[in-house]
Amino acid sequence: MKNFLSVKDVLPLKTALDLAKEVKANPYADQQLGKNKTLLMVFFNASLRTRLSTQKAAMNLGMNVIVLDINQGAWKLETERGVIMDGDKSEHILEAIPVMGSYCDMIGVRAFAGLKDRAYDYNEVILNQFIEYSGKPVFSMEAATRHPLQSFADLITIEEYKKTAKPKVLMTWAPHPNALPQAVPNSFAEWINATDYELVIAHPEGYELDPQFVQNAKVEYDVEKAYQGADFVYAKNWSVYAEKNYGQVINKDRKWTVDTRKMAMTNNAYFMHCLPVRRNMIVTDDVIEAPTSIVIPEAANRVVSAQMVIREILRTL
Ligand code: AN0
Ligand code: CP
C-alpha cells in the first residue's frame, strides 16, 4: 500500500480484516519494521482519538512520531496558488509540504472540509497537494470527503460484535448545533457498501449524501421505520451536501436523537458513534451508557486500523 485514502486502498476487505486481526492479536510483533522510520502527523483540525491512536499504532511498530498542529505554533499557510501573499499567511503550502516530507518516511494528514465550496472540498485539494508534493506515502486522518481509518475501525468492530452473517446496519443522521462535514458518513457508507451487509441510511429531507457513497443503500426518511430490525445503529450528524445550501444546518429536530424508545424497535441493536459525541443531541445518556453501547471498543479499534495501515505502508518503504 502506497497511500491510504479510501476503502479502495485495502481491497479485498477480507484480507484487510485478517491483517487487522493479526495486528490486534500480536501488536508488538513488528517492532523492527518501524525502527529508524519516522511518521509525521499533520493536523489542520482538532483531534483526540486520531492523534492518540495513530501515535500508539506507530509506537507499537517501533517508529518515531512527530506531530505538527498547523494552527498552533506553525506559520499560517496559504493554500491557493497565485495569491499575492501580503496578508496574514507567512508561508505557502507548496514549500511547507516538501519540507515536511524531507523530515519523515510517511505523513498522516487531517484536513477537514471547509464547507464553503463543495467543488474545492470534494476535489480533496489539500490532501492531493500532500500526495503530489511530499514525495512520501500519505494516509488520511480524515480529509474533506472521507475518514477511512474511522470506517475501518467501525468495520472491525461490527465484525467482532455481529450475531448474524449479514447484519442490518442503520446509519442515522442526528441533530447537532454546528455544521459538520460529510466525511464520516460518506466513508462509513462506502465501507459498508463494500461488504455484504444490509445498509439503511436515514435522514431528514435535504440531507441526501453524495450518490457515489450511498450507492445501492436504502435511504429512509421515516425515522421510526428505519430502526426496525436493525442490528447496529450508527449515529452521525452531517451538514447539507446539496449544492444550493452546501455546508448548512437546516434541521435540529431532536426527534432524530437516538433514544431508548427508538432503540427498542431494533433487534437489540448495538449503538455506535465515531466520537466526539454530544449527549442528548445525538444520543441520550441512557443509550450511550447502556451495555449495548460499543463506542469505547469502537474507539479502541482505531489503534488496530491505524496499525494495519501503517504496517502495510512500512512494508513498501
Ligand atoms: C468531526 C466530524 O464530524 O467530521 C470529527 C469526527 C471524527 N466532528 C466534529 O467536528 C464534532
Ligand atoms: N473519531 C475521531 O476521529 O475522533 P477525533 O476527532 O478525536 O480524532
Side-chain angles (χ1 to χ4, degrees), residues 41-290:
M41 296 163 61
V42 180
F43 288 93
F44 287 85
N45 314 93
S47 167
L48 186 152
R49 279 144 292 275
T50 304
R51 176 183 299 264
L52 298 179
S53 62
T54 311
Q55 196 159 344
K56 173 70 170 125
M59 287 176 349
N60 287 354
L61 292 163
M63 296 182 82
N64 300 310
V65 183
I66 315 175
V67 182
L68 180 68
D69 288 297
I70 295 290
N71 299 320
Q72 281 173 28
W75 301 107
K76 266 204 166 103
L77 294 182
E78 177 57 60
T79 55
E80 296 299 310
R81 197 172 167 282
V83 170
I84 297 168
M85 289 174 59
D86 61 353
D88 64 338
K89 311 261 177 70
S90 307
E91 176 154 30
H92 204 286
I93 199 164
L94 292 173
E95 281 77 55
I97 290 174
V99 168
M100 292 189 255
S102 75
Y103 301 147
C104 65
D105 300 286
M106 66 177 80
I107 308 185
V109 179
R110 167 162 285 199
F112 287 180
L115 298 177
K116 289 186 184 74
D117 177 341
R118 187 171 90 165
Y120 182 87
D121 289 345
Y122 276 69
N123 284 328
E124 291 286 7
V125 174
I126 306 262
L127 188 67
N128 285 328
Q129 285 177 327
F130 274 88
I131 294 164
E132 192 168 351
Y133 300 114
S134 71
K136 296 291 151 71
V138 170
F139 65 87
S140 166
M141 301 196 299
E142 186 172 341
T145 60
R146 292 175 175 87
H147 192 0
L149 285 175
Q150 180 65 50
S151 314
F152 189 12
D154 296 335
L155 181 59
I156 293 166
T157 310
I158 294 175
E159 281 293 304
E160 288 172 348
Y161 282 85
K162 72 179 189 186
K163 295 174 198 149
T164 52
K166 295 178 188 179
K168 175 179 169 181
V169 177
L170 166 64
M171 176 169 83
T172 178
W173 179 94
H176 192 285
N178 306 328
L180 300 187
Q182 297 101 35
V184 170
N186 284 346
S187 200
F188 184 74
E190 185 171 59
W191 283 68
I192 299 305
N193 278 324
T195 69
D196 55 5
Y197 306 166
E198 182 188 346
L199 176 63
V200 177
I201 304 175
H203 56 71
E205 297 274 352
Y207 279 93
E208 292 76 13
L209 292 165
D210 183 344
Q212 69 162 309
F213 299 105
V214 176
Q215 298 169 33
N216 295 324
K218 182 173 167 39
V219 175
E220 181 59 76
Y221 296 96
D222 181 329
V223 64
E224 315 233 321
K225 253 197 205 152
Y227 277 72
Q228 283 162 24
D231 297 299
F232 292 87
V233 173
Y234 188 93
K236 185 69 186 87
N237 172 268
W238 63 86
S239 62
V240 170
Y241 167 71
E243 184 72 70
K244 116 172 167 323
N245 41 12
Y246 177 70
Q248 290 178 18
V249 176
I250 57 167
N251 190 326
K252 291 184 189 171
D253 189 347
R254 287 188 16 240
K255 87 170 187 204
W256 286 85
T257 301
V258 183
D259 58 15
T260 46
R261 192 183 61 81
K262 290 196 288 298
M263 287 300 281
M265 299 170 188
T266 68
N267 184 25
N268 196 26
Y270 288 109
F271 173 76
M272 299 179 72
H273 189 280
C274 65
L275 307 180
V277 73
R278 294 202 179 217
R279 283 180 175 222
N280 304 309
M281 287 293 293
I282 302 280
V283 58
T284 61
D285 293 313
D286 289 341
V287 171
I288 200 167
E289 289 169 3

